Amino acid sequence: MPENLNLLRAFGGFFFIFWTAFNTALVDVVGSEQQIPLSVVKLWASAFGGEIKSIAAKYSGSQLLQKKYKEYEKDVAIEEIDGLQLVKKLAKNMEEMFHKKSEAVRRLVEAAEDAYLKHEFDADLQYEYFNAVLINERDEEGNYLELGKEFILVPNDHFNNLPVNISLSDVQVPTNMYNKDPAIVNGVYWSESLNKVFVDNFDRDPSLIWQYFGSAKGFFRQYPGIKWEPDENGVIAFDCRNRKWYIQAATSPKDVVILVDVSGSMKGLRLTIAKQTVSSILDTLGDDDFFNIIAYNEELHYVEPCLNGTLVQADRANKEHFREHLDKLFAKGIGMLDIALNEAFNMLNEFNHTGQGSICSQAIMLITDGAVDTYDTIFAKYNWPDRKVRIFTYLIGREAAFADNLKWMACANKGFFTQISTLADVQENVMEYLHVLSRPKVIDQEHDVVWTEAYIDSTLPQAQKLADDQGLVLMTTVAMPVFSKQNETRSKGILLGVVGTDVPVKELLKTIPKYKLGIHGYAFAITNNGYILTHPELRPLYEEGKKRRKPNYSSVDLSEVEWEDRDDVLRNAMVNRKTGKFSMEVKKTVDKGKRVLVMTNDYYYTDIKGTPFSLGVALSRGHGKYFFRGNVTVEEGLHDLEHPDVSLADEWSYCNTDLHPEHRQMTQLEAIKRYLTGKEPLLQCDKELIQEVLFDAVVSAPIEAYWTSLALNKSENSDKGVEVAFLGTRTGLSRINLFVGPEQLTNQDFLTAEDKENIFNADHFPLWYRRAAEQIPGSFVYSIPFSTETANKSNVVTASTAIQLLDDRKSPVVAAVGIQMKLEFFQRKFWTASRQCASLDGRCAISCDDETINCYLIDNNGFILVSEDYQQTGYFFGEVEGAVMNKLLTMGSFKRFLVEFNLCSWWHSDLTAKAQRLKQTLEPCDTEYPAFVSERTIKETMGNIACDDCFKSFVIQQIPSSNLFMVVVDNECFCDSVPPITMAPIEIRYNESLKCERLKSQKIRRRPESCHGFHPEENARECGGVSGLSAKPSLVLLPLLLTIFSR
């Protein structure tokens, strides 16, 4: 028996050494170790915890506020939020708001079509219109330039204080077009009648912003009128016809195969023009379209070999991927167009049968410097007599020797022929095909309403002028096509243009009552393609954390932000316009991406009628599912709202101050007061929210007197360590008290509009509120604010705690309070506590002053608040003590999460109108961002780490009533062989086969409900030069040709 015992002991010792070595990636060593007494560390932690909680509770007034809410406990009604009912109600509100916008656009369509019907074209028309570039410009003699008359511009707060003219629109003409072209002048003249409709729309719905008419001739009429500024080269690249809203409204979804001739005759400038033509065609494709590009000589060369034989969705990422591959094309050999045409027809036919594509229009775009044949037999085999695939031919170069054959192909297949001689000709000639594809829709007179996903068009003047100071405005656009109603041109299907209006995403957020969604709850909406219309994660992020959102925000899929839903259950249900519920654990990053909140969300979703959108609401489990109603008199509430330190969330809609111009200057607080006193009967306000604001104002009012008494007591806070006390309630009400003068504040931005994460926004509660809500009730959460500048170390500490109504999990969190103190003051309290000891003689066996140990104070995400080396403040603990952090992870004291599983994807600005593009290196990859969270159940831990020639010991002890831990580490044993643990993002790169699979994989999408691919009355003779047809078809084809041209 003793022998067996010895054997077990020997085995146990071996296993311990092996296990330690395995988990620390170190070899077995022999050495001495220093034991750090746990009881002493516990004493230090207890002393510091008691001291700092006493300070935080005292200056925040948390106990007073908790007591006040308790006093009203019996007078409040707690309700569990019905998520499905809530999302249905919000969807109905959004439906009504969207309907108002689409009705405004419909009125513009009717006015435009009536104006054109009454207009007779006059080639000699002379008309002085307001040119958006030339307005208010004078020549050297002080006279106004032609088309540049005086145009009054006044800053308007509804339009972000930009100088605009709300009585008139003005007209932008692309730089490559002649301002006085007869087609332009006539179009500008008849569209002048839209001015009164623009103004009338704005009077009916004062929440409207930019309204416009994009003409098929290229000019852009915008209301309110604004001045446009050329770029540094004197160019305005904007062309309304290649904007997503224009293309979606003008055409139906399409499958397109682009054939590019790369035979030897295409060398030099011709190939350059051909590539630019392809790029311009890609600009005209949208999220409902599918495409592929094949280069041909005597062989076929798929521009992306991985996508041989199939088509991909024309989203931004795929288009940029193909553009990058265009640069690899070079010209050589002989052009065998017959092989390419056969491949294109087969591919379109097979793809159509899969049911994956647009199932609407199909087209082949041929870009070449000539064709030696008309390839009648191929068209007869695949396309005649129905001609379901249109052929668009682009002759590259000045020579016209083979033009007739290319014209023949286009005209015999309901397409269009055009010749492109220079780079300057590319864009205008590419646009011609859109007019052909719009014909069936025009003949049907189907005014389909289209909505875009959220985007930023940075080429617009209002976007450029806001970029520097306010940031770009995220928006969606509602648009409708404008048709010619003249009977004599009906078969030609003449598209006059597209009208539209922008809807800022912040306008959508106003329909969402944030107070009903709880602290972590939010609403979001997606399109039929699964792309985000609005979501709190669809926002500009920051450089330091290396987290990047697409700068134009276009085509961000829901799966990129709700990334934990790996099977796209939520996304696909919403795309398919279902109504239902879905739950999952989520990890939400906060505080510039450095921290993570782990919670379970319940998602409720339904469709928004009359739009391609679906709406979702996320509610966090626990306190996030409950709402309560308090009740006080209006007189009581108004009295307690009068205090100068009371403020309300600027971005919340307590009252709608946009409806009437006289209300737009009001703050929400002013609007509430005037509404409640009956001074503004026209104000529309959320009565339920205002009632709860009044309740919170009354309950929280006593804290003002409490803070004032502390500030007046000279014996308190004599060293001015505590600088600010603050509170926020679930209704967006805030109170702030300064214990020092404003000029003495260490952090001047705290709780101001510049500090976005720490104030109430349209889509989130303040960071200190959100983090406090996840702490154990009664405890404080402490943190150092992260600076976006790595050199600028933070020198304050924020502490906050949540106030709950009841003492159970079903209790709503009603408020949060906190303080901000100087970091130096906070650290001094820590060092004082760490010098205490329990010995009677006052001589301590160990102290943080000893050279043999290092003492740290870290938070629950592993960030250092106190270190003997001040420079380490704010660092992640793993960067300083890699071996200890590794051991804490191994032991389960901390957990490591990989969050924000983003497609790094293709990164560009919205420069689609420019020939010169920013070149990006495209590397498909996913990026995982590590985040760390302490295990709540672990209060204290000791450990030893086997290093190269010694054992390194450490003790970690939780600070009571906080999210903090004291870590004491042996400083005599060095573990240099263990690398630091950092929070650097991890890029996951894929081999070629996986890259290919990702390109081929297509997420579920829902097609637009309308399709206008063909019309029997369509006049196919308008095909870009049919009169010049001189191909020699065989006599056998003559009956067929008669049939074709009679259609």
Side-chain angles (χ1 to χ4, degrees), residues 261 296 335 337 341 366 368-375 393 395 401-406 409:
D261 184 352
Y296 71 91
L337 179 55
L341 285 170
L366 173 60
T368 179
D369 61 351
V372 296
D373 193 4
T374 55
Y375 303 100
T393 53
L395 177 62
F402 298 106
D404 288 346
N405 288 342
L406 291 173
M409 286 185 242

PDB file of all heavy atoms in Angstrom, residues 261 296 335 337 341 366 368-375 393 395 401-406 409:
ATOM      1  N   ASP A 261     -12.858  42.247 -75.281  1.00  0.00           N
ATOM      2  CA  ASP A 261     -11.896  41.800 -76.295  1.00  0.00           C
ATOM      3  C   ASP A 261     -10.482  42.135 -75.814  1.00  0.00           C
ATOM      4  O   ASP A 261     -10.164  43.294 -75.537  1.00  0.00           O
ATOM      5  CB  ASP A 261     -12.206  42.538 -77.607  1.00  0.00           C
ATOM      6  CG  ASP A 261     -11.331  42.083 -78.770  1.00  0.00           C
ATOM      7  OD1 ASP A 261     -10.382  41.307 -78.534  1.00  0.00           O
ATOM      8  OD2 ASP A 261     -11.607  42.513 -79.911  1.00  0.00           O
ATOM      9  N   TYR A 296     -11.674  37.774 -73.721  1.00  0.00           N
ATOM     10  CA  TYR A 296     -11.504  36.730 -74.745  1.00  0.00           C
ATOM     11  C   TYR A 296     -10.498  37.163 -75.794  1.00  0.00           C
ATOM     12  O   TYR A 296     -10.374  38.326 -76.140  1.00  0.00           O
ATOM     13  CB  TYR A 296     -12.856  36.401 -75.408  1.00  0.00           C
ATOM     14  CG  TYR A 296     -13.392  37.496 -76.314  1.00  0.00           C
ATOM     15  CD1 TYR A 296     -13.088  37.513 -77.683  1.00  0.00           C
ATOM     16  CD2 TYR A 296     -14.174  38.534 -75.803  1.00  0.00           C
ATOM     17  CE1 TYR A 296     -13.560  38.515 -78.512  1.00  0.00           C
ATOM     18  CE2 TYR A 296     -14.646  39.550 -76.618  1.00  0.00           C
ATOM     19  CZ  TYR A 296     -14.335  39.539 -77.976  1.00  0.00           C
ATOM     20  OH  TYR A 296     -14.784  40.539 -78.798  1.00  0.00           O
ATOM     21  N   GLY A 335      -8.985  37.616 -81.675  1.00  0.00           N
ATOM     22  CA  GLY A 335     -10.275  37.634 -80.991  1.00  0.00           C
ATOM     23  C   GLY A 335     -11.265  36.652 -81.600  1.00  0.00           C
ATOM     24  O   GLY A 335     -11.617  36.785 -82.776  1.00  0.00           O
ATOM     25  N   LEU A 337     -14.768  35.882 -81.102  1.00  0.00           N
ATOM     26  CA  LEU A 337     -15.983  36.329 -80.455  1.00  0.00           C
ATOM     27  C   LEU A 337     -17.041  35.237 -80.378  1.00  0.00           C
ATOM     28  O   LEU A 337     -17.835  35.204 -79.428  1.00  0.00           O
ATOM     29  CB  LEU A 337     -16.537  37.564 -81.185  1.00  0.00           C
ATOM     30  CG  LEU A 337     -17.835  38.168 -80.650  1.00  0.00           C
ATOM     31  CD1 LEU A 337     -17.723  38.509 -79.167  1.00  0.00           C
ATOM     32  CD2 LEU A 337     -18.204  39.421 -81.443  1.00  0.00           C
ATOM     33  N   LEU A 341     -19.421  34.511 -77.162  1.00  0.00           N
ATOM     34  CA  LEU A 341     -20.876  34.629 -77.199  1.00  0.00           C
ATOM     35  C   LEU A 341     -21.546  33.331 -76.769  1.00  0.00           C
ATOM     36  O   LEU A 341     -22.523  33.328 -76.004  1.00  0.00           O
ATOM     37  CB  LEU A 341     -21.343  35.024 -78.596  1.00  0.00           C
ATOM     38  CG  LEU A 341     -21.118  36.494 -78.988  1.00  0.00           C
ATOM     39  CD1 LEU A 341     -21.403  36.712 -80.472  1.00  0.00           C
ATOM     40  CD2 LEU A 341     -22.000  37.418 -78.144  1.00  0.00           C
ATOM     41  N   LEU A 366     -20.826  43.796 -74.921  1.00  0.00           N
ATOM     42  CA  LEU A 366     -19.656  43.451 -75.731  1.00  0.00           C
ATOM     43  C   LEU A 366     -18.786  44.678 -75.945  1.00  0.00           C
ATOM     44  O   LEU A 366     -19.230  45.680 -76.508  1.00  0.00           O
ATOM     45  CB  LEU A 366     -20.117  42.876 -77.075  1.00  0.00           C
ATOM     46  CG  LEU A 366     -19.037  42.611 -78.112  1.00  0.00           C
ATOM     47  CD1 LEU A 366     -18.002  41.613 -77.589  1.00  0.00           C
ATOM     48  CD2 LEU A 366     -19.655  42.106 -79.415  1.00  0.00           C
ATOM     49  N   THR A 368     -15.349  45.841 -77.699  1.00  0.00           N
ATOM     50  CA  THR A 368     -14.372  45.363 -78.687  1.00  0.00           C
ATOM     51  C   THR A 368     -14.035  46.477 -79.665  1.00  0.00           C
ATOM     52  O   THR A 368     -14.730  47.504 -79.717  1.00  0.00           O
ATOM     53  CB  THR A 368     -14.951  44.153 -79.458  1.00  0.00           C
ATOM     54  OG1 THR A 368     -14.017  43.703 -80.429  1.00  0.00           O
ATOM     55  CG2 THR A 368     -16.272  44.497 -80.137  1.00  0.00           C
ATOM     56  N   ASP A 369     -12.975  46.264 -80.434  1.00  0.00           N
ATOM     57  CA  ASP A 369     -12.636  47.237 -81.476  1.00  0.00           C
ATOM     58  C   ASP A 369     -13.122  46.769 -82.842  1.00  0.00           C
ATOM     59  O   ASP A 369     -12.762  47.322 -83.861  1.00  0.00           O
ATOM     60  CB  ASP A 369     -11.139  47.521 -81.497  1.00  0.00           C
ATOM     61  CG  ASP A 369     -10.313  46.281 -81.796  1.00  0.00           C
ATOM     62  OD1 ASP A 369     -10.886  45.166 -81.815  1.00  0.00           O
ATOM     63  OD2 ASP A 369      -9.093  46.410 -82.005  1.00  0.00           O
ATOM     64  N   GLY A 370     -13.952  45.704 -82.866  1.00  0.00           N
ATOM     65  CA  GLY A 370     -14.527  45.275 -84.135  1.00  0.00           C
ATOM     66  C   GLY A 370     -14.970  43.831 -84.112  1.00  0.00           C
ATOM     67  O   GLY A 370     -14.550  43.041 -83.265  1.00  0.00           O
ATOM     68  N   ALA A 371     -15.851  43.488 -85.072  1.00  0.00           N
ATOM     69  CA  ALA A 371     -16.319  42.109 -85.217  1.00  0.00           C
ATOM     70  C   ALA A 371     -16.354  41.781 -86.698  1.00  0.00           C
ATOM     71  O   ALA A 371     -16.885  42.557 -87.506  1.00  0.00           O
ATOM     72  CB  ALA A 371     -17.703  41.952 -84.603  1.00  0.00           C
ATOM     73  N   VAL A 372     -15.818  40.634 -87.085  1.00  0.00           N
ATOM     74  CA  VAL A 372     -15.716  40.265 -88.504  1.00  0.00           C
ATOM     75  C   VAL A 372     -16.995  39.619 -89.013  1.00  0.00           C
ATOM     76  O   VAL A 372     -17.115  39.321 -90.194  1.00  0.00           O
ATOM     77  CB  VAL A 372     -14.520  39.320 -88.732  1.00  0.00           C
ATOM     78  CG1 VAL A 372     -13.209  40.028 -88.406  1.00  0.00           C
ATOM     79  CG2 VAL A 372     -14.657  38.048 -87.895  1.00  0.00           C
ATOM     80  N   ASP A 373     -17.956  39.368 -88.145  1.00  0.00           N
ATOM     81  CA  ASP A 373     -19.172  38.682 -88.542  1.00  0.00           C
ATOM     82  C   ASP A 373     -20.331  39.232 -87.702  1.00  0.00           C
ATOM     83  O   ASP A 373     -20.125  39.963 -86.731  1.00  0.00           O
ATOM     84  CB  ASP A 373     -19.005  37.172 -88.288  1.00  0.00           C
ATOM     85  CG  ASP A 373     -20.096  36.344 -88.952  1.00  0.00           C
ATOM     86  OD1 ASP A 373     -20.925  36.937 -89.672  1.00  0.00           O
ATOM     87  OD2 ASP A 373     -20.131  35.117 -88.739  1.00  0.00           O
ATOM     88  N   THR A 374     -21.555  38.863 -88.103  1.00  0.00           N
ATOM     89  CA  THR A 374     -22.722  39.252 -87.317  1.00  0.00           C
ATOM     90  C   THR A 374     -23.186  38.123 -86.404  1.00  0.00           C
ATOM     91  O   THR A 374     -24.085  38.329 -85.585  1.00  0.00           O
ATOM     92  CB  THR A 374     -23.882  39.650 -88.242  1.00  0.00           C
ATOM     93  OG1 THR A 374     -24.131  38.577 -89.146  1.00  0.00           O
ATOM     94  CG2 THR A 374     -23.564  40.929 -88.994  1.00  0.00           C
ATOM     95  N   TYR A 375     -22.628  36.937 -86.570  1.00  0.00           N
ATOM     96  CA  TYR A 375     -22.895  35.781 -85.702  1.00  0.00           C
ATOM     97  C   TYR A 375     -24.396  35.477 -85.604  1.00  0.00           C
ATOM     98  O   TYR A 375     -24.916  35.162 -84.529  1.00  0.00           O
ATOM     99  CB  TYR A 375     -22.297  36.012 -84.302  1.00  0.00           C
ATOM    100  CG  TYR A 375     -20.802  36.275 -84.388  1.00  0.00           C
ATOM    101  CD1 TYR A 375     -20.320  37.580 -84.327  1.00  0.00           C
ATOM    102  CD2 TYR A 375     -19.900  35.232 -84.585  1.00  0.00           C
ATOM    103  CE1 TYR A 375     -18.961  37.841 -84.445  1.00  0.00           C
ATOM    104  CE2 TYR A 375     -18.530  35.484 -84.697  1.00  0.00           C
ATOM    105  CZ  TYR A 375     -18.071  36.789 -84.642  1.00  0.00           C
ATOM    106  OH  TYR A 375     -16.726  37.035 -84.773  1.00  0.00           O
ATOM    107  N   THR A 393     -23.438  46.764 -77.594  1.00  0.00           N
ATOM    108  CA  THR A 393     -22.099  46.706 -78.192  1.00  0.00           C
ATOM    109  C   THR A 393     -21.411  48.061 -78.063  1.00  0.00           C
ATOM    110  O   THR A 393     -22.016  49.114 -78.315  1.00  0.00           O
ATOM    111  CB  THR A 393     -22.178  46.311 -79.683  1.00  0.00           C
ATOM    112  OG1 THR A 393     -23.090  47.173 -80.356  1.00  0.00           O
ATOM    113  CG2 THR A 393     -22.671  44.870 -79.813  1.00  0.00           C
ATOM    114  N   LEU A 395     -18.083  49.911 -79.444  1.00  0.00           N
ATOM    115  CA  LEU A 395     -16.954  49.909 -80.367  1.00  0.00           C
ATOM    116  C   LEU A 395     -15.878  50.840 -79.823  1.00  0.00           C
ATOM    117  O   LEU A 395     -16.094  52.038 -79.656  1.00  0.00           O
ATOM    118  CB  LEU A 395     -17.405  50.368 -81.756  1.00  0.00           C
ATOM    119  CG  LEU A 395     -16.308  50.492 -82.815  1.00  0.00           C
ATOM    120  CD1 LEU A 395     -15.637  49.144 -83.078  1.00  0.00           C
ATOM    121  CD2 LEU A 395     -16.877  51.070 -84.118  1.00  0.00           C
ATOM    122  N   ALA A 401     -14.525  50.582 -89.256  1.00  0.00           N
ATOM    123  CA  ALA A 401     -14.566  49.542 -90.288  1.00  0.00           C
ATOM    124  C   ALA A 401     -15.535  48.420 -89.948  1.00  0.00           C
ATOM    125  O   ALA A 401     -16.219  47.886 -90.811  1.00  0.00           O
ATOM    126  CB  ALA A 401     -13.146  48.975 -90.492  1.00  0.00           C
ATOM    127  N   PHE A 402     -15.606  48.056 -88.655  1.00  0.00           N
ATOM    128  CA  PHE A 402     -16.471  46.943 -88.265  1.00  0.00           C
ATOM    129  C   PHE A 402     -17.724  47.427 -87.523  1.00  0.00           C
ATOM    130  O   PHE A 402     -18.408  46.644 -86.873  1.00  0.00           O
ATOM    131  CB  PHE A 402     -15.704  45.976 -87.364  1.00  0.00           C
ATOM    132  CG  PHE A 402     -14.503  45.349 -88.034  1.00  0.00           C
ATOM    133  CD1 PHE A 402     -13.215  45.746 -87.700  1.00  0.00           C
ATOM    134  CD2 PHE A 402     -14.676  44.389 -89.017  1.00  0.00           C
ATOM    135  CE1 PHE A 402     -12.114  45.178 -88.310  1.00  0.00           C
ATOM    136  CE2 PHE A 402     -13.580  43.821 -89.637  1.00  0.00           C
ATOM    137  CZ  PHE A 402     -12.293  44.208 -89.287  1.00  0.00           C
ATOM    138  N   ALA A 403     -18.008  48.720 -87.638  1.00  0.00           N
ATOM    139  CA  ALA A 403     -19.133  49.262 -86.889  1.00  0.00           C
ATOM    140  C   ALA A 403     -20.457  48.625 -87.303  1.00  0.00           C
ATOM    141  O   ALA A 403     -21.319  48.355 -86.468  1.00  0.00           O
ATOM    142  CB  ALA A 403     -19.201  50.779 -87.069  1.00  0.00           C
ATOM    143  N   ASP A 404     -20.617  48.354 -88.618  1.00  0.00           N
ATOM    144  CA  ASP A 404     -21.909  47.844 -89.097  1.00  0.00           C
ATOM    145  C   ASP A 404     -22.272  46.516 -88.445  1.00  0.00           C
ATOM    146  O   ASP A 404     -23.428  46.285 -88.093  1.00  0.00           O
ATOM    147  CB  ASP A 404     -21.874  47.688 -90.621  1.00  0.00           C
ATOM    148  CG  ASP A 404     -21.901  49.038 -91.322  1.00  0.00           C
ATOM    149  OD1 ASP A 404     -22.220  50.027 -90.632  1.00  0.00           O
ATOM    150  OD2 ASP A 404     -21.604  49.104 -92.516  1.00  0.00           O
ATOM    151  N   ASN A 405     -21.287  45.638 -88.308  1.00  0.00           N
ATOM    152  CA  ASN A 405     -21.580  44.339 -87.692  1.00  0.00           C
ATOM    153  C   ASN A 405     -22.010  44.500 -86.230  1.00  0.00           C
ATOM    154  O   ASN A 405     -22.912  43.813 -85.759  1.00  0.00           O
ATOM    155  CB  ASN A 405     -20.352  43.422 -87.767  1.00  0.00           C
ATOM    156  CG  ASN A 405     -20.090  42.928 -89.185  1.00  0.00           C
ATOM    157  OD1 ASN A 405     -20.981  42.978 -90.033  1.00  0.00           O
ATOM    158  ND2 ASN A 405     -18.874  42.465 -89.434  1.00  0.00           N
ATOM    159  N   LEU A 406     -21.345  45.397 -85.528  1.00  0.00           N
ATOM    160  CA  LEU A 406     -21.684  45.614 -84.119  1.00  0.00           C
ATOM    161  C   LEU A 406     -23.059  46.278 -83.984  1.00  0.00           C
ATOM    162  O   LEU A 406     -23.836  45.941 -83.078  1.00  0.00           O
ATOM    163  CB  LEU A 406     -20.617  46.461 -83.430  1.00  0.00           C
ATOM    164  CG  LEU A 406     -19.249  45.768 -83.246  1.00  0.00           C
ATOM    165  CD1 LEU A 406     -18.220  46.749 -82.711  1.00  0.00           C
ATOM    166  CD2 LEU A 406     -19.367  44.575 -82.308  1.00  0.00           C
ATOM    167  N   MET A 409     -25.680  43.545 -84.497  1.00  0.00           N
ATOM    168  CA  MET A 409     -25.878  42.673 -83.330  1.00  0.00           C
ATOM    169  C   MET A 409     -26.770  43.342 -82.294  1.00  0.00           C
ATOM    170  O   MET A 409     -27.674  42.716 -81.722  1.00  0.00           O
ATOM    171  CB  MET A 409     -24.531  42.327 -82.691  1.00  0.00           C
ATOM    172  CG  MET A 409     -23.707  41.330 -83.468  1.00  0.00           C
ATOM    173  SD  MET A 409     -22.228  40.902 -82.530  1.00  0.00           S
ATOM    174  CE  MET A 409     -20.976  41.474 -83.643  1.00  0.00           C
TER     175      MET A 409
END
